[in-house]
Amino acid sequence: MGTVVWWLVTVLVVAVHSASAAVIEEKWEVEYTFWWPDCKEGIVMAINGQFPGPTIDAVAGDRVIIHVTNKLFTEGVVIHWHGIRQIGTPWADGAAGVTQCAINPGETFTYNFTVDKAGTHFYHGHYGMQRSAGLYGMLIVRSPKEKLRYDGEFNMLLTDWWHQSVHSQELALSSRPMRWIGEPQSLLINGRGQHNCSQAAYFTKGGVRECTFKEKDQCAPQTLRVEPNRVYRLRIASSTALASLNLAVEGHQLEVVEADGNYVAPFTVNDIDIYSGETYSVLLRTHSFPSKIYWISVGVRGRKPNTPPALTVLNYVDAPDSDRPTHPPPVTPRWDDYDRSKAFSKKIFTAKGYPPPPEKSHDQLILLNTQNLIDNYTKWAINNVSLSVPATPYLGSIKYGIKSAYDLKSPGKTFTNDYDIMKPPANPNTKKGSGIYNFPSGIVVDVILQNANVLKGKISEIHPWHLHGHDFWVLGYGEGKFRRGIDEKTYNLKNPPLRNTVVVYPFGWTALRFVTDNPGVWFFHCHIEPHLHMGMGVVFAEGVNRIGKMDIPDEALGCGLTRKWLMNRGRR
């Protein structure tokens, strides 16, 4: 195939993790660089000259210390450690304006936290739309007593890519009227994809040309090289900015065993759907014969695709390198077959040994997801408020008792009963706000995500929602408008999956439950980058009485009104 070989990662069996956990310490420099992600030159956001960024490989209980130096010329930067709960270190969560100030050009900020729970995770930029610019990488946390048995593993970081610069995208989305950025030009597997060519072009007559690669081409696909009669763990993460994806391996079934860093009751499928912010581990069992080369295909789901699938291959070691797959790649299921997507979601249950959710909740939020207007600027809103994150991080405002940095009035806990989710909003106008939801420590909170029609036409979009600082139980999914007092009776309280990201399907609702057991300020938002940029998120504060006693580095909060407070403290 003329591609770069991706050698298997040997699995290390760690019997017992030392009581004195290891420390992983690295120095990272973030800067823009020219790159060829899909065989067309563009500008990516790289770490130490790497795209995607370096993989962090740790064991649960390890301390991770990352010194991040901002070498961008004109903008700040932060890094969010997606899936790490940051227990006791909310300031290290990496959400600009929520838990920390952006790192200014030329400055260095040190993230110092414990990876408390094993699982497949990743990290990414969380300032502006820097995730779309390529600021991401894998974060693997191993268990000292891994219960899964397999012979090797591969990491697969799935992303989408635009030729339009991220700054141009931000401007387009913030214009009046909005200029939609369109579908991505390509999909990337570990930062590698192809534009205007296809590895599978030899199955078609005419049309797109066949890709040719040199060994060091930055867009050359990475081959998964495997041996017969083996079991491999594929650690899959989606950091897409927009696309929902489907992954299939030709001629092989996939056994789903982990979702968002939590074991699930194993089940076998031919392919998996994965939404932005989600991670999975699947076990792939290789055949005893024949030794061949098989396609791995990643295609778009949930949106009418205008982006070709990403392709790489599963290459049995004794198959000649000159061989090519003998059949066309797997066909991605139809983009709008939502029944198929829901069937996959409903197969996911927690593995044995996990506690069930509390039977009842103390508080409930019903969050209506709508597309709206503010002075003809297109926005996304929750319960008719489009989030505007303030210049002073919420964590600092709460710690130092600064009352003027954000709206002190919390947003509404639900929406009006007469709202018709099946039609465009009767009143398209919304408002900006920076209010947050405050919860005491140790209570149980239910959140119902309610989807609705967009501004025009008969359209309701998929929204994957991610909660920082927590795992939550996914209690159920439903069609149409949530019926309070009725739909709660359908909840799965026996073995719902624990996740940190969950999808709400078009014209439907999704219910989740979490415990406020992690004092801090936590972002909860749609993981689609343009939607968050346009206001689709809320903020939860919990245990605020304990935030004031936290030891938080001054450099995390040295901006906005907290900067003035810290300077005045220094004079005393």
Side-chain angles (χ1 to χ4, degrees):
M1 296 284 294
T3 61
V4 176
V5 173
W6 187 8
W7 296 100
L8 67 89
V9 180
T10 302
V11 176
L12 300 177
V13 180
V14 183
V16 179
H17 192 39
S18 170
S20 57
V23 175
I24 297 172
E25 187 167 8
E26 297 183 10
K27 294 181 179 180
W28 288 3
E29 293 184 345
V30 178
E31 59 186 331
Y32 286 110
T33 188
F34 290 107
W35 209 267
W36 295 71
D38 61 355
C39 303
K40 178 180 173 63
E41 188 179 54
I43 298 174
V44 303
M45 195 169 280
I47 297 175
N48 294 348
Q50 297 181 46
F51 169 76
T55 295
I56 297 175
D57 198 319
V59 176
D62 285 352
R63 196 76 176 168
V64 175
I65 302 173
I66 308 293
H67 309 279
V68 177
T69 299
N70 180 357
K71 297 195 73 176
L72 308 173
F73 295 113
T74 59
E75 61 190 289
V77 70
V78 296
I79 295 179
H80 169 55
W81 315 96
H82 188 112
I84 305 302
R85 294 179 292 183
Q86 300 294 350
I87 296 172
T89 52
W91 55 268
D93 186 53
V98 179
T99 60
Q100 73 167 105
C101 304
I103 308 166
N104 288 325
E107 293 184 348
T108 299
F109 180 79
T110 298
Y111 292 96
N112 188 332
F113 56 90
T114 297
V115 288
D116 64 296
K117 185 167 66 70
T120 301
H121 310 294
F122 64 107
Y123 62 85
H124 59 80
H126 216 304
Y127 182 66
M129 291 177 59
Q130 291 179 346
R131 178 158 53 93
S132 296
L135 184 54
Y136 41 66
M138 293 293 285
L139 199 173
I140 306 302
V141 183
R142 304 186 184 279
S143 171
K145 296 182 179 180
E146 179 59 70
K147 62 187 245 182
L148 300 174
R149 296 292 177 260
Y150 51 95
D151 301 296
E153 69 182 46
F154 300 97
N155 296 336
M156 301 186 72
L157 180 58
L158 311 179
T159 54
D160 41 14
W161 185 252
W162 281 259
H163 295 161
Q164 183 182 13
S165 75
V166 67
H167 300 113
S168 178
Q169 291 181 50
E170 289 174 337
L171 178 60
L173 295 169
S174 304
S175 295
R176 182 171 58 180
M178 179 192 69
R179 301 183 185 184
W180 178 237
I181 61 175
E183 303 304 307
Q185 276 66 63
S186 56
L187 302 177
L188 309 181
I189 302 175
N190 287 344
R192 297 166 179 263
Q194 293 82 48
H195 174 69
N196 283 342
C197 72
S198 171
Q199 299 174 65
Y202 60 92
F203 289 107
T204 61
K205 295 181 179 179
V208 65
R209 66 180 178 87
E210 186 172 352
C211 299
T212 56
F213 305 105
K214 297 177 182 178
E215 185 174 350
K216 293 185 178 180
D217 283 353
Q218 293 171 335
C219 61
Q222 294 179 321
T223 298
L224 278 68
R225 190 171 289 274
V226 297
E227 297 180 358
N229 290 318
R230 296 289 188 269
V231 179
Y232 293 88
R233 182 178 188 169
L234 308 185
R235 294 182 180 268
I236 307 164
S238 174
S239 188
T240 55
L242 178 65
S244 304
L245 302 175
N246 176 272
L247 181 145
V249 181
E250 177 196 2
H252 296 73
Q253 290 190 311
L254 306 173
E255 183 181 7
V256 181
V257 293
E258 178 210 346
D260 292 356
N262 295 286
Y263 294 118
V264 299
F267 64 98
T268 301
V269 291
N270 294 320
D271 54 80
I272 68 166
D273 283 343
I274 182 167
Y275 300 95
S276 179
E278 291 186 329
T279 68
Y280 287 98
S281 281
V282 300
L283 299 182
L284 180 147
R285 291 171 172 81
T286 57
H287 308 312
S288 56
F289 70 91
S291 291
K292 293 172 58 177
I293 297 177
Y294 299 88
W295 291 113
I296 299 174
S297 178
V298 177
V300 173
R301 296 273 278 143
R303 302 182 64 86
K304 190 172 184 178
N306 194 28
T307 309
L311 298 173
T312 188
V313 294
L314 187 76
N315 191 329
Y316 281 62
V317 292
D318 48 355
D321 286 343
S322 58
D323 281 5
R324 301 196 290 187
T326 56
H327 297 93
V331 176
T332 301
R334 182 176 169 83
W335 69 274
D336 58 353
D337 187 351
Y338 296 118
D339 289 340
R340 193 181 195 279
S341 300
K342 294 171 188 176
F344 175 78
S345 294
K346 293 176 181 179
K347 290 179 180 178
I348 304 173
F349 301 100
T350 190
K352 292 181 179 178
Y354 284 87
E359 291 188 2
K360 296 182 179 180
S361 65
H362 301 99
D363 207 345
Q364 182 188 69
L365 303 179
I366 304 179
L367 304 181
L368 177 67
N369 297 213
T370 55
Q371 190 183 47
N372 299 91
L373 296 174
I374 298 178
D375 297 329
N376 287 324
Y377 290 98
T378 303
K379 297 291 182 181
W380 286 93
I382 304 302
N383 291 353
N384 206 38
V385 177
S386 183
L387 181 65
S388 178
V389 176
T392 303
Y394 290 108
L395 188 64
S397 296
I398 293 172
K399 178 176 175 60
Y400 299 122
I402 300 172
K403 305 293 186 182
S404 58
Y406 64 97
D407 298 336
L408 296 181
K409 183 181 178 181
S410 296
K413 288 190 172 184
T414 187
F415 59 96
T416 57
N417 290 329
D418 60 352
Y419 191 95
D420 190 346
I421 68 163
M422 306 302 293
K423 297 179 180 179
N427 178 3
N429 298 311
T430 188
K431 59 184 178 182
K432 286 185 180 181
S434 59
I436 63 179
Y437 295 100
N438 285 284
F439 301 113
S441 290
I443 70 165
V444 180
V445 178
D446 281 0
V447 179
I448 292 87
L449 296 165
Q450 176 67 67
N451 216 337
N453 205 92
V454 298
L455 272 169
K456 297 179 181 179
K458 184 74 172 177
I459 302 169
S460 181
E461 298 191 15
I462 279 179
H463 300 291
W465 276 76
H466 171 59
L467 177 58
H468 295 220
H470 292 276
D471 287 334
F472 51 73
W473 291 277
V474 182
L475 301 182
Y477 305 87
E479 310 293 328
K481 187 188 289 189
F482 182 79
R483 298 168 299 172
R484 202 168 186 173
I486 299 175
D487 286 324
E488 290 96 336
K489 298 175 183 178
T490 68
Y491 286 173
N492 173 13
L493 300 178
K494 179 182 178 182
N495 57 353
L498 275 169
R499 306 294 301 260
N500 60 57
T501 303
V502 69
V503 63
V504 55
Y505 288 105
F507 298 112
W509 56 264
T510 299
L512 58 96
R513 178 170 291 176
F514 74 99
V515 179
T516 60
D517 56 3
N518 192 9
V521 186
W522 307 109
F523 223 159
F524 182 45
H525 60 86
C526 178
H527 212 260
I528 291 176
E529 194 85 313
H531 293 179
L532 176 57
H533 179 73
M534 299 160 72
M536 198 172 195
V538 295
V539 176
F540 297 155
E542 59 188 83
V544 296
N545 58 313
R546 296 171 62 182
I547 292 176
K549 302 174 185 177
M550 286 184 174
D551 185 14
I552 300 176
D554 287 352
E555 55 267 30
L557 305 175
C559 62
L561 297 180
T562 46
R563 178 177 181 271
K564 182 179 180 180
W565 195 97
L566 290 168
M567 290 176 65
N568 289 337
R569 184 187 67 176
R571 295 191 186 104
R572 291 200 290 265

